[in-house]
Amino acid sequence: MSAITLIATDPARFDPVALDQLEACARYDGMARIVGLPDLHAGNGIAVGAAFWSPSHVWPHLVGSDIGCGMALWETDCLVRKFRLSAIERKLHGLDAPWAGDYAESLAEVGLPPHIASPALGTIGGGNHFVEFQRIEAIADETRFADLGLRHDRVWMMVHSGSRGLGQAILQAHRQADARQGIPAGHAKAKAYLAEHDGALAWAILNRQIIARRFCESLGFGGRRVLDICHNSVTPHRSGWLHRKGAAPADRGLVTIPGSRGDFSYLVEPIAEAADHALHSLAHGAGRKWSRKDAHARLSRRFKVADLQRTALGSQVICEDRRLIFEEAPDAYKDIGMVIADLEQVGLIRVIAKLRPLLSYKTRAA
C-alpha cells in the first residue's frame, strides 16, 4: 500500500469515510504517494481534497467528471465605496442563459477545435459553483500585496466553475471497467485521455474568463485577472503523474482558497520549500462538513430560504434553486480559518490577504 500523508494539526477531524477512500486508492497497483489536505471530505467513491502520484499510471476517475474545475480571481475597477448591493442585484439577470458571443472564435483563440463548442460555455453550472463579489478585509503581507500591484479599495470577483458537460463526456469515454486498474501512461489509451483532458483544462479556463466578462459587462465594470488555477487535473510531475481531486496547485503561483458562501476567502502564496511534503498541492476550499443530502435534511427544518439569502457576514446570496441553497449553506462547510491555519502550520502557504464576501451568485431563473 502506498504512503498516505495527512495535512492537519488534528487528523481526528477527518471524516472516516474520506480516510477509507484514500486507503482504497493507496492499494491501487502503481500508486506511490497520496496526500489528504485539510479540506479533505468524502466524495462519490473518491475523496475530495487530495492529491495522488504515480510514476507509471493514469486514472481518469481520480480527476473526475469536472476536468479543469477551478478558481479565477479578478480585481475589478469598481471602488468598494461605490458598490451597492441593491443596485448590483438588480442588474444580475440573464447570466444563466447561453452566452451570445462567438463560440468558435473564442475556442480558436485558445487553440481549441470548434466541435467542442457548447451552449454551456460561459455559464457557471450547478453544485458548488458560483461567482462572488468580494472586498479586501485585511492585508496580511502589505509588502507583497503592493509588489503584486494589487489594490485594496477595489471590488474583487471570484469565479468557480469548470468544463461543464465536456469533462463528463471525456470521463465516460475513458472510464475503465475496473476503475482501480489505471492506464499505463505510455499506452495509447492514456495518451488519448490526456490529450482530451488537456483540451478540457483549456476549455474550463476559457469558461471562467467568459463568465467573468459577462458579469463585468452586466455591471459596467472593467477588470483584470489576477489568477486562474485548476483543482481537478492530472499533470506530469517528477517523471510521473500527479492527480489532483479538489486540490489546488502549489506550483502555479498565487492561489485563492475560498470559504463557504458565508465566510472569508484567502489569497495565498505557496511556499516552495515545503511543497513536496504535500505533493505541491493545497486545499481548494473549506471542504464539505455534511453531504448535500444531510445538509438539506438538517437545514431545511431549521431555516427558510429567505434566512439563507443573507449571511452572518452581511453578504447576499442569489440562489433561486430552493434545494441547492440548503445544500450549499455555510453550515454545510468546514471552518475555512482552520483549513488555512493547518496549511500555515506546516509551512505550505503565506497569506497575502483575506477577502470578505459581498454578494454570491449561484443561479437565477432569468
Side-chain angles (χ1 to χ4, degrees), residues 166-181:
L166 178 61
Q168 176 68 37
I170 292 170
L171 176 62
Q172 291 299 326
H174 295 276
R175 188 182 291 276
Q176 299 290 94
D178 182 351
R180 296 170 298 177
Q181 300 299 315

Side-chain angles (χ1 to χ4, degrees), residues 72-78 136 145 148-158 216 221-227:
L73 186 65
W74 289 62
E75 181 189 82
T76 79
D77 61 4
C78 176
I136 300 295
F145 191 88
L148 291 165
L150 306 177
R151 294 174 290 185
H152 72 277
D153 60 348
R154 304 305 164 111
V155 173
W156 290 61
M157 177 175 58
M158 187 183 295
C216 282
F221 293 175
R224 68 180 183 102
R225 187 173 64 187
V226 174
L227 64 90

